[in-house]
Every structure is written in C-alpha cells, then in structure tokens.
Amino acid sequence: MSEPENLLQKAFYLGVGIAGLAVEKANDALQELKEQTDKLVINGEFPHRLQQIADEMVNKGKMNTEEARKFVDEILQQQNNQKTSKEENSNSSEPRIIEIITEEEEDKA
C-alpha cells in the first residue's frame, strides 16, 4: 500500500472514531439527564429543576441550547401525558368494553 493510500485510510478511521466518540458522548449526556429526571419526577419542583439540569449540561458543553430546550419540552410533555392517562384511568368506574370479532364475522364484512 502506498503512503497516500495509507494516509487516506488512517484519516478515514480517525473520522469514524471521532464520529463514534461524539455519538457516545451525546448518548451518555442524554442518559445522565434521563436518570436525573427520573429521580425528580416525584419532586414538586420538577419543571424548574429539569431546566436547571439542562442548563448545567449546556454549560458543560454536553449539549447545545436547542437540544436542551427540546429535551425539557419532551420530558414535560411525557409527564403531562402520564398524568392525563392516570386521571382517565382512575375516573373510569365502569369496565372497558372489548369487542371480539370472530373469523366468520370478519369474512362477512
């Protein structure tokens, strides 16, 4: 293998390694945020503390401002959805109706 080809191959592997490291760092940062948010769900100051954690991650350079904003919005939306579904389930005192369709009925339709 000639020197230019060897250099090109090394540059390629270096690029792949850097990309892999960046993905790993981003996943680690998101996992850290996820773990901290799971601990905060019980706390009454959840939205405020979540924003503080996201700001800390931005200051550390683990994510940019747009990623932090999106993450906070997604977590708060998930929390609201969970509260809504729990309320709906607790408010329903009647059993849920399940319709069973046999193969014969399905063929007729």
Side-chain angles (χ1 to χ4, degrees), residues 8-76:
L8 183 61
Q9 185 179 18
K10 287 180 181 179
F12 173 76
Y13 287 128
L14 177 64
V16 169
I18 290 172
L21 181 63
V23 168
E24 186 177 318
K25 292 255 184 208
N27 285 337
D28 289 347
L30 289 175
Q31 183 62 31
E32 181 181 339
L33 266 177
K34 178 75 172 138
E35 289 170 3
Q36 290 181 14
T37 56
D38 289 343
K39 292 176 185 176
L40 290 173
V41 169
I42 300 169
N43 189 349
E45 297 180 7
F46 175 70
H48 178 67
R49 183 64 185 132
L50 179 62
Q51 186 61 53
Q52 286 178 338
I53 292 170
D55 291 342
E56 290 172 14
M57 298 294 275
V58 169
N59 290 335
K60 291 179 183 178
K62 293 188 176 184
M63 63 177 21
N64 66 36
T65 307
E66 184 62 33
E67 290 170 334
R69 185 179 302 118
K70 183 178 178 183
F71 181 77
V72 170
D73 291 343
E74 287 175 359
I75 295 296
L76 293 176

Side-chain angles (χ1 to χ4, degrees), residues 1-9:
M1 185 178 286
S2 68
E3 185 64 30
E5 290 174 343
N6 191 14
L7 185 61
L8 183 61
Q9 185 179 18

